[in-house]
Amino acid sequence: MKSLSLVVILLALGIVQANKVPEIYAGQSRSASSIIVDALEAIKVQMVEGWPQYGIPPLAPLEIHHKDFNYETGEMHANGALDDVIVSGLNEFEIVKMSVNLPLSRITMEFNFASLNLTTKYKADVGAGWQMARDGGAFLALEDLNISGQIRYSTGLVGSNNYLRIKGIQLQIVVGNVVSNIENLSKYRIVNRKLNEIIEEFINLTINDNVDFVTEWIDSTVTPACNNLIGDRTLKDIIDLIGGGGGNLI
Ligand SMILES: *[C@@H]1O[C@H](CO)[C@@H](O)[C@H](O)[C@H]1NC(C)=O
Ligand SMILES: *[C@@H]1O[C@H](CO)[C@@H](O)[C@H](O)[C@H]1NC(C)=O
Ligand SMILES: *[C@@H]1O[C@H](CO)[C@@H](O)[C@H](O)[C@H]1NC(C)=O
Ligand SMILES: *[C@@H]1O[C@H](CO)[C@@H](O)[C@H](O)[C@H]1NC(C)=O
């Protein structure tokens, strides 16, 4: 997920840059914004197959055969495994807003995911002074998920090379509804439903009540990761990279 967003952001910036000069000076009719929208639409389609040349697997749906987990927080522990994980909806987003301000080097955007959901089989061993082993099927969904925000970047000339740096990423994430349907948390249906409601509320609050924290976390982790990825590459290198391996991206 993280490497995907990096690719998307780099791609967007590369495309904006590639088109900046003609955009302003030759009065190309297509705006930078619509070029990014077109690229994102192409990315949605490509997500079905992934980008094997960059080691990115199919993302729509994303399938993970097996994943072990092991959490320890104080007294509480939870460990186990997920099998046959399927994540759906990564490519089912609507671009509500995409606006590039070239003079201010700023991209403002808003995306809406109708349903981002996960089905899996789980096995878990949970405890806090007591022990509980559970297994079964699980379904989790984030519905009406909105991601909106801004990317600020800078460009310029060093020697004869263009350079590109991400100055900041401010993304706000809000979820409209959370669905949790995990089997066998309790053998009593009504208790099972209640436990799922607690999980729904927990996820909802974690996302919606921590908007500032999530925004800060994304900015402080993704911004340097993007800049590391760009490294000493010039703009031309990045555009060649996108053009060279991207196949039918644009
Ligand atoms: C899961 O997400 C996909 C893609 O958004 C959607 O088509 C599907 O209806 C969702 N599944 C459920 C059970 O909500
Ligand atoms: C998400 O955005 C859409 C479209 O802008 C809006 O109609 C909806 O109310 C928003 N949902 C949430 C949970 O903020
Ligand atoms: C888990 O729940 C499903 C459906 O509620 C049931 O068929 C199955 O027997 C349960 N498995 C265990 C190990 O309790
Ligand atoms: C989700 O959280 C928001 C903000 O804290 C709250 O207004 C809303 O009622 C919650 N929704 C559900 C379904 O719990």
Side-chain angles (χ1 to χ4, degrees):
M1 200 44 198
K2 197 159 115 186
S3 60
L4 170 71
S5 39
L6 295 188
V7 168
V8 170
I9 289 165
L10 282 182
L11 205 65
L13 290 174
I15 291 162
V16 171
Q17 274 309 300
N19 287 279
K20 184 168 181 170
V21 173
E23 176 70 25
I24 294 172
Y25 297 107
Q28 263 196 358
S29 60
R30 288 211 312 169
S31 71
S33 315
S34 68
I35 293 167
I36 295 186
V37 170
D38 287 354
L40 285 172
E41 294 295 345
I43 285 172
K44 282 190 200 175
V45 174
Q46 189 65 35
M47 282 168 89
V48 174
E49 285 168 19
W51 288 264
Q53 67 271 42
Y54 297 128
I56 300 175
L59 298 170
L62 171 63
E63 297 185 16
I64 301 164
H65 181 59
H66 178 88
K67 178 129 184 71
D68 290 316
F69 61 88
N70 196 335
Y71 295 111
E72 300 256 5
T73 46
E75 293 289 286
M76 175 87 185
H77 75 261
N79 49 54
L82 302 178
D83 282 294
D84 302 331
V85 182
I86 299 175
V87 180
S88 300
L90 288 170
N91 65 338
E92 301 267 333
F93 59 89
E94 194 192 328
I95 304 165
V96 180
K97 180 176 185 181
M98 177 59 66
S99 132
V100 180
N101 187 324
L102 293 173
L104 291 183
S105 301
R106 200 167 67 192
I107 302 174
T108 307
M109 64 221 163
E110 191 178 326
F111 303 108
N112 176 266
F113 292 79
S115 176
L116 202 55
N117 58 59
L118 176 153
T119 54
T120 186
K121 287 183 222 131
Y122 80 98
K123 274 198 204 75
D125 194 341
V126 183
W130 39 271
Q131 200 71 19
M132 181 176 96
R134 292 289 182 267
D135 67 84
F139 175 81
L140 283 169
L142 302 178
E143 295 179 345
D144 189 20
L145 179 75
N146 284 347
I147 302 181
S148 60
Q150 279 193 348
I151 298 176
R152 286 175 301 111
Y153 60 93
S154 64
T155 57
L157 293 172
V158 175
S160 60
N161 292 328
N162 280 307
Y163 76 88
L164 173 66
R165 280 289 174 269
I166 313 276
K167 287 169 69 184
I169 301 174
Q170 299 287 317
L171 290 184
Q172 283 91 42
I173 301 179
V174 177
V175 64
N177 190 37
V178 179
V179 180
S180 170
N181 208 336
I182 306 177
E183 290 177 351
N184 301 332
L185 290 173
S186 161
K187 63 180 171 177
Y188 303 106
R189 279 171 72 94
I190 191 162
V191 177
N192 204 62
R193 186 61 234 149
K194 199 70 213 165
L195 290 171
N196 274 293
E197 279 170 18
I198 292 171
I199 292 169
E200 286 167 357
E201 197 171 322
F202 176 78
I203 297 174
N204 180 32
L205 292 179
T206 303
I207 298 174
N208 290 340
D209 274 4
N210 291 295
V211 173
D212 291 346
F213 174 77
V214 173
T215 301
E216 179 63 29
W217 181 81
I218 292 172
D219 190 32
S220 60
T221 55
V222 179
T223 303
C226 275
N227 287 328
N228 274 342
L229 205 68
I230 298 170
D232 291 333
R233 290 192 185 86
T234 65
L235 221 40
K236 182 173 179 316
D237 295 336
I238 294 170
I239 293 164
D240 286 350
L241 207 70
I242 294 166
N248 54 354
L249 262 179
I250 301 169

